[in-house]
Amino acid sequence: MPEGIEIELYRRAAARCVGRVIDEVSAPDSYFIKGGATADVLVEALVGRTITKTDRVGKLLLLDIDDEPDVLGLRFGMTGRVIVDDDAAIEKLEYASGRDDPAWDRFALSFAGEGTLRINDPRRLGGVELHPDRSTLGVDLFRVAPGRLATALGQSRVALKSRLLDQSRVAGVGNLIADETLWRVGLDPARPAGSLSDDEIRRLAAGLRRTIDRLLRDGGSHTGRLQDSRVRGGLCPKDGTPLLRRTIGGRTTYSCPLHQV
Ligand SMILES: [Zn+2]
């Protein structure tokens, strides 16, 4: 599933379209159009206008049009990918087909002159929306500082990992980023979110930043050091202890019972 890191790679791919004029909008799947719009409304809102900027908050990719912010929001669900000029920003997602079947093109912009931006989404759990509401999203995972993280965690008794996955608290953290970060900083994902000391919060904020930088450089959320051990019987890559496999926040969670406390 694409997490904030994948969406950042999509944003960088989409940035190639800045300065291009939208010539044609293809939105064949009405289910993929959110916020009560229709294909005709999208055509009316977008054709003849210029992409002026890209932005991202959490897993939401945003395009500014004619200098108007956040005109178009793109979401990618479990299996959505951005393909610009027929180059996929990411060749293959974990658990998804790497096949670029035209039947899975849910939305496309064609540009005057040449080039396209497409969303190819086999399971069609993503969507496009005009003027999406970004205020429901928490602090973006790339901008987590200790103070904002402390606010996001609050005094909650909810499991630390669940809180990190809550997009209204921290936007863009998915299952793999959460497990990798907590493993790196040595925190138990089942700890109550509100139980962290100030020092642990600082460690977690710094660890999240470092983990994101590393995964981004290596090409995606699935490139973490813990990744190969995320199997039944997997061992901690730090200390060789058999990993715990639990469901936390509704997601399969791997952690080390020895060094994650
Ligand atoms: Zn360990």
Side-chain angles (χ1 to χ4, degrees):
M1 168 188 303
E3 303 187 16
I5 287 165
E6 282 71 30
I7 311 306
E8 174 59 18
L9 294 171
Y10 295 170
R11 189 199 64 75
R12 293 176 183 186
R16 280 161 54 186
C17 301
V18 168
R20 296 188 190 181
V21 178
I22 299 165
D23 205 26
E24 207 175 301
V25 174
S26 168
D29 184 353
S30 60
Y31 178 76
F32 207 73
I33 306 171
K34 309 297 184 190
T38 62
D40 287 345
V41 170
L42 289 174
V43 167
E44 180 68 26
L46 300 173
V47 168
R49 302 181 71 195
T50 305
I51 296 179
T52 47
K53 195 176 156 223
T54 60
D55 198 0
R56 182 195 52 74
V57 53
K59 303 179 194 177
L60 174 65
L61 173 60
L62 295 151
L63 301 181
D64 291 8
I65 309 280
D66 288 348
D67 293 321
E68 185 185 343
D70 304 349
V71 173
L72 188 63
L74 307 173
R75 291 188 177 86
F76 300 91
M78 298 277 290
T79 56
R81 293 189 303 158
V82 161
I83 300 173
V84 174
D85 302 340
D86 295 327
D87 292 337
I90 291 177
E91 286 303 323
K92 185 181 180 314
L93 290 166
E94 281 292 273
Y95 315 121
S97 168
R99 209 146 57 85
D100 180 14
D101 187 328
W104 298 332
D105 280 347
R106 310 298 176 189
F107 179 75
L109 302 173
S110 302
F111 302 106
E114 60 182 311
T116 55
L117 183 155
R118 292 186 281 133
I119 300 182
N120 191 265
D121 184 359
R123 293 187 59 182
R124 68 204 275 262
L125 294 170
V128 298
E129 185 177 355
L130 289 171
H131 303 287
D133 180 9
R134 64 152 79 191
S135 71
T136 59
L137 295 169
V139 57
D140 179 70
L141 80 166
F142 284 72
R143 300 183 184 94
V144 169
R148 299 185 77 172
L149 183 58
T151 305
L153 298 177
Q155 297 301 311
S156 178
R157 303 281 312 157
V158 166
L160 174 58
K161 178 176 171 182
S162 305
R163 202 72 163 183
L164 292 175
L165 293 178
D166 179 347
Q167 300 299 300
S168 71
R169 300 278 169 179
V170 183
V173 173
N175 199 38
L176 298 181
I177 297 173
D179 276 9
E180 178 77 16
T181 301
L182 294 171
W183 175 79
R184 282 171 178 251
V185 301
L187 290 171
D188 180 353
R191 283 255 311 262
S195 72
L196 272 61
S197 68
D198 290 350
D199 182 56
E200 286 173 326
I201 289 174
R202 274 195 294 276
R203 215 166 78 214
L204 177 54
L208 183 59
R209 182 71 241 183
R210 272 199 303 276
T211 302
I212 289 166
D213 286 346
R214 168 49 67 95
L215 299 180
L216 192 59
R217 197 160 63 238
D218 291 348
S221 303
H222 63 287
T223 59
R225 277 184 67 206
L226 187 63
Q227 184 65 18
D228 289 345
S229 306
R230 296 177 54 85
V231 290
R232 285 178 192 276
L235 304 178
C236 174
K238 273 192 220 266
D239 51 45
T241 305
L243 294 176
L244 279 179
R245 181 183 188 276
R246 291 174 288 182
T247 300
I248 299 175
R251 307 298 305 277
T252 300
T253 300
Y254 287 89
S255 65
C256 174
L258 182 66
H259 87 268
Q260 289 182 253
V261 295

